[in-house]
């Protein structure tokens, strides 16, 4: 593993690059998503979450978290995304966290829509809950920005459907070369680049990126759990009633 430490930022931990074995449709979509996450973290130079699978964390950093927080262990039992919360505590102490460029970990994918939904709802609801609790600061700015972008993309997708339907009904829909050729080519180029970055990719991964439809299906799913998670997190904050997302994910994975 090769990761650096600046003078004022000792090494806190590193997450490995993730990939998933499998050739089914959902696995391919998740594998492409994880490849994008890895590339984003590598380009940024740091990560805000040391994922639970395949990560290495400094023992001193863990001991410092226990000392500073006063809890019985470094991980929080109140958070539904304990890896995100722990990474925040580590970074808060001045440690540096990033994704390894050389180490690769293999993890299972969700094989059904139900198990995928429950997994991502736990991740997203937990992240929103932690961000609402922590607030906005220099360490959470990027995470808040990602939440804003996720909600904005969901709104734009719904708006696009509404406008398209309205223009169709009013018979005002006119196609131009911009929308027919140029925009699809831009999306295809972006997806193709991401597909070429997928570890252990095969021809079908490339085909899926060129067709665009699979990526768009996943984008709609992502938009759905973004909105649903924010609604659930805000409702939970008001009513003080909280779903056990750990149990829901266990139940879904047992039939995965």
């Amino acid at each position: 593993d090769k990761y650096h430490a600046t003078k004022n930022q000792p090494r806190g931990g590193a997450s490995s690059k993730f990939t998933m074995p499998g050739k089914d449709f959902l696995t391919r979509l998740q594998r492409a998503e994880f490849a994008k996450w890895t590339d984003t973290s590598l380009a940024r130079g740091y990560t805000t979450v040391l994922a639970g699978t395949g990560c290495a964390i400094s023992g001193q950093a863990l001991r410092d978290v226990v000392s500073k927080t006063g809890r019985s262990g470094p991980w929080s039992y109140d958070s539904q995304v304990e890896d995100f919360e722990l990474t925040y505590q580590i970074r808060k102490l001045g440690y540096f966290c990033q994704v390894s460029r050389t180490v690769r970990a293999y993890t299972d994918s969700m094989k059904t829509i139900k198990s995928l939904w429950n997994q991502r709802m736990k991740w997203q609801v937990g992240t929103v809950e932690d961000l609402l609790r922590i607030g906005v600061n220099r360490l959470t700015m990027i995470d808040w920005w990602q939440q804003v972008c996720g909600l904005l993309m969901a709104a734009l997708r719904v708006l696009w459907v509404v406008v398209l339907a309205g223009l169709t009904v009013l018979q005002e829909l006119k196609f131009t070369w911009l929308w027919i050729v140029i925009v699809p080519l831009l999306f295809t180029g972006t997806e193709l680049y991401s597909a070429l970055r997928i570890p252990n990719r095969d021809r079908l991964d490339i085909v899926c990126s060129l067709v665009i439809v699979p990526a768009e299906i996943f984008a709609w799913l992502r938009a759905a759990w973004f909105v649903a998670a924010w609604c659930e997190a805000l409702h939970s904050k008001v009513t003080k009633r909280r779903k056990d997302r750990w149990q829901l994910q266990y139940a879904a994975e047992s039939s995965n």
Side-chain angles (χ1 to χ4, degrees):
D1 185 15
K2 298 177 181 178
Y3 58 94
H4 69 275
T6 64
K7 181 177 180 181
N8 296 320
Q9 293 178 303
R11 289 174 289 186
S15 275
S16 54
K17 296 184 291 184
F18 289 101
T19 189
M20 296 173 173
K23 297 184 178 181
D24 59 282
F25 180 66
L26 274 180
T27 296
R28 293 182 187 279
L29 293 179
Q30 294 167 77
R31 193 159 54 210
E33 180 198 28
F34 274 42
K36 291 178 183 177
W37 177 86
T38 297
D39 277 353
T40 300
S41 296
L42 289 174
R44 187 191 302 140
Y46 68 92
T47 180
T48 62
V49 54
L50 295 168
T53 302
C55 71
I57 304 176
S58 162
Q60 185 57 52
L62 295 178
R63 288 188 290 272
D64 286 348
V65 169
V66 173
S67 175
K68 294 295 182 180
T69 60
R71 54 200 188 198
S72 58
W75 285 269
S76 170
Y77 292 98
D78 293 327
S79 175
Q80 301 197 71
V81 281
E82 79 295 339
D83 46 4
F84 172 75
E85 197 277 340
L86 176 61
T87 307
Y88 172 75
Q89 296 295 342
I90 291 174
R91 294 176 64 224
K92 187 178 178 181
L93 292 172
Y95 287 94
F96 188 73
C97 304
Q98 71 179 116
V99 174
S100 169
R101 294 182 179 275
T102 58
V103 178
R104 181 172 298 161
Y106 291 81
T107 185
D108 291 331
S109 62
M110 299 296 102
K111 302 298 184 183
T112 66
I113 295 293
K114 180 180 179 181
S115 59
L116 177 64
W117 179 269
N118 278 288
Q119 180 195 61
R120 299 314 171 86
M121 279 294 288
K122 184 178 82 67
W123 291 359
Q124 177 62 11
V125 170
T127 300
V128 173
E129 288 178 343
D130 282 0
L131 287 176
L132 290 173
R133 178 180 53 80
I134 296 169
V136 181
N137 59 49
R138 64 180 183 82
L139 297 179
T140 60
M141 283 291 291
I142 188 67
D143 301 292
W144 277 105
W145 174 244
Q146 289 172 343
Q147 294 299 315
V148 170
C149 289
L151 293 173
L152 180 61
M153 291 306 297
L156 288 176
R157 277 185 159 74
V158 173
L159 181 62
W160 177 77
V161 171
V162 171
V163 171
L164 189 64
L167 292 175
T168 302
V169 170
L170 296 174
Q171 297 184 344
E172 294 291 336
L173 186 61
K174 298 178 181 179
F175 291 100
T176 65
W177 285 108
L178 175 66
W179 299 107
I180 296 174
V181 178
I182 298 178
V183 173
L185 281 177
L186 289 174
F187 279 108
T188 300
T190 301
E191 292 301 324
L192 177 59
Y193 172 80
S194 297
L196 292 174
R197 299 285 295 168
I198 297 174
N200 299 330
R201 64 184 178 278
D202 58 24
R203 291 180 181 177
L204 195 50
D205 287 317
I206 304 300
V207 171
C208 284
S209 70
L210 295 175
V211 173
I212 290 294
V213 175
E216 189 62 19
I217 291 174
F218 196 85
W220 275 97
L221 279 171
R222 189 170 185 271
W225 66 57
F226 250 81
V227 174
W230 266 96
C231 290
E232 181 177 318
L234 292 175
H235 180 267
S236 175
K237 191 172 182 65
V238 172
T239 62
K240 307 302 181 183
R241 292 197 299 267
R242 188 188 192 199
K243 287 185 180 179
D244 185 352
R245 282 283 163 192
W246 282 101
Q247 189 58 43
L248 289 172
Q249 184 178 343
Y250 292 151
E253 289 178 352
S254 65
S255 59
N256 191 21

